[in-house]
């Protein structure tokens, strides 16, 4: 089982992109490419990129396209990317989408399929306020909707659960505004090229996953053995 077209999970902060991207990546045995995770990793390692990105992310704004694109190009150049990939949180601007299309074309990948997650704002705020992430494996929990069995501890690997600094309410407001301003126009961008599907992100996690797998199969983005 595998992917014929790269999948782009598109949606506002807290829509469930990361939760589903991890599951799909496992299912299709392809890399999960999260620019947010890559930037947080750069910050944790104190790299030059991390130093530039940190204050921007703390304000809830988007990191400049050139910095993000350099990260993505480097990642797509690694051997495991040849099997396809799940994009989570990228592209986030029209310029990033245009560059991605050029990069994919030049490397012989199929046309990507964007899947928009629809979730109302009240639910997004609650999800982000309740999100806790495993400091070892990155599994995501939610104290309101998907709590871990033991508070503060990952069910999968026993890692300590931590909260993201940009999940503070004042930063979340700016992240949502940045989404509307800079990322929401991608919905029309992919619709125009007939490469957009939509999923109800308010449904339970397993149901969202089921619909995503069905979409991938129906559109020929996956090889159909699911
Ligand atoms: P990034 O890390 O990409 O964050 P985001 O897009 O804001 O998305 P989130 O990770 O907050 O949400 P998600 O949709 O993945 O939801 P999740 O699955 O965790 O970006 C962070 C920052 O990095 C940006 O602000 C920007 O500064 C920078 N950046 C990153 N990429 C960039 C780019 N390309 N260009 C420029 N700058 C960039 O779920 C949320 C919660 O809900 C969890 O608790 C989860 O358990 C729960 N949940 C999920 N699904 C369900 C469900 N179906 N039912 C119930 N609960 C659910």
């Amino acid at each position: 089982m595998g992917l014929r077209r790269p999948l782009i999970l598109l949606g506002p902060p807290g829509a469930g992109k990361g939760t589903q991207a991890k599951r799909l990546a496992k299912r299709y045995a392809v890399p999960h490419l999260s620019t947010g995770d890559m930037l947080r990793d750069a910050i944790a390692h104190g790299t030059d990129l991390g130093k530039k990105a940190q204050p921007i992310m703390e304000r809830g704004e988007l990191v400049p396209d050139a910095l993000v694109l350099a990260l993505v190009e480097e990642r797509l150049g690694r051997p495991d990317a040849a099997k396809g990939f799940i994009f989570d949180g990228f592209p986030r601007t029209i310029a990033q989408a245009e560059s991605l299309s050029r990069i994919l074309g030049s490397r012989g990948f199929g046309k990507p399929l964007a899947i928009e997650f629809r979730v109302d704002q009240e639910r997004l705020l609650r999800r982000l306020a309740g999100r806790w992430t495993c400091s070892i494996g990155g599994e995501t929990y939610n104290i309101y909707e998907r709590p871990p069995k033991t508070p503060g501890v990952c069910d999968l690997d026993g890692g300590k659960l931590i909260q993201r600094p940009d999940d503070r309410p004042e930063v979340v407001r700016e992240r949502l505004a940045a989404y509307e301003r800079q990322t929401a126009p991608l919905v029309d961008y992919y619709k125009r090229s007939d490469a957009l599907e939509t999923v109800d992100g308010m449904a339970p996690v397993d149901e969202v996953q089921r619909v995503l797998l069905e979409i991938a199969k129906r559109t020929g983005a996956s090889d159909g053995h699911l």
Side-chain angles (χ1 to χ4, degrees):
M1 98 187 51
L3 269 188
R4 293 197 181 115
R5 295 168 68 180
L7 297 182
I8 295 171
L9 306 191
L10 188 62
K17 306 180 297 294
T19 301
Q20 297 296 337
K22 287 188 194 86
R23 289 174 166 226
L24 294 179
K26 216 177 268 175
R27 184 83 181 225
Y28 295 126
V30 297
H32 164 205
L33 197 156
S34 158
T35 42
D37 285 350
M38 291 159 91
L39 290 165
R40 280 184 287 278
D41 194 54
I43 292 173
H45 286 90
T47 66
D48 285 346
L49 168 65
K51 286 180 189 139
K52 284 183 196 148
Q54 187 166 19
I56 301 171
M57 290 170 72
E58 280 173 359
R59 291 195 298 272
E61 296 166 7
L62 293 190
V63 172
D65 291 337
L67 297 182
V68 174
L69 283 164
L71 265 184
V72 171
E73 280 225 66
E74 189 278 325
R75 181 67 188 86
L76 295 187
R78 292 194 216 157
D80 65 344
K83 295 182 288 183
F85 23 82
I86 312 284
F87 289 109
D88 160 16
F90 176 88
R92 244 170 157 108
T93 62
I94 299 282
Q96 289 181 15
E98 287 172 344
S99 296
L100 176 64
S101 162
R102 274 195 300 276
I103 298 168
L104 293 177
S106 70
R107 295 180 186 214
F109 288 107
K111 178 173 147 182
L113 176 70
I115 307 178
E116 180 202 5
F117 284 50
R118 291 210 182 138
V119 177
D120 71 34
Q121 180 134 336
E122 200 184 319
R123 188 77 66 94
L124 295 174
L125 294 173
R126 186 176 141 97
R127 282 188 184 174
L128 294 172
R131 171 166 58 186
W132 289 79
T133 307
C134 176
S135 53
I136 298 177
E139 182 68 10
T140 305
Y141 298 88
N142 195 281
I143 52 166
Y144 305 118
E145 300 189 53
R146 299 184 61 234
K149 292 192 184 99
T150 308
V153 181
C154 179
D155 294 349
L156 303 184
D157 57 20
K160 185 173 177 245
L161 302 185
I162 51 172
Q163 277 191 297
R164 267 171 48 177
D166 61 349
D167 279 348
R168 293 196 313 276
E170 63 278 20
V171 185
V172 165
R173 273 194 297 278
E174 179 49 38
R175 287 165 60 202
L176 290 170
Y179 179 80
E180 288 306 322
R181 218 170 35 235
Q182 291 163 282
T183 309
L186 290 179
V187 170
D188 273 344
Y189 175 88
Y190 284 111
K191 203 184 278 172
R192 278 197 302 276
S193 59
D194 203 19
L196 183 83
E197 293 283 335
T198 301
V199 69
D200 173 14
M202 309 268 285
V205 172
D206 288 345
E207 172 61 10
V208 177
Q209 183 183 4
R210 189 193 67 72
V211 174
L212 290 171
L213 295 173
E214 191 274 322
I215 288 173
K217 191 171 165 184
R218 173 170 49 77
T219 57
S222 72
D223 64 12
H225 294 306
L226 293 171

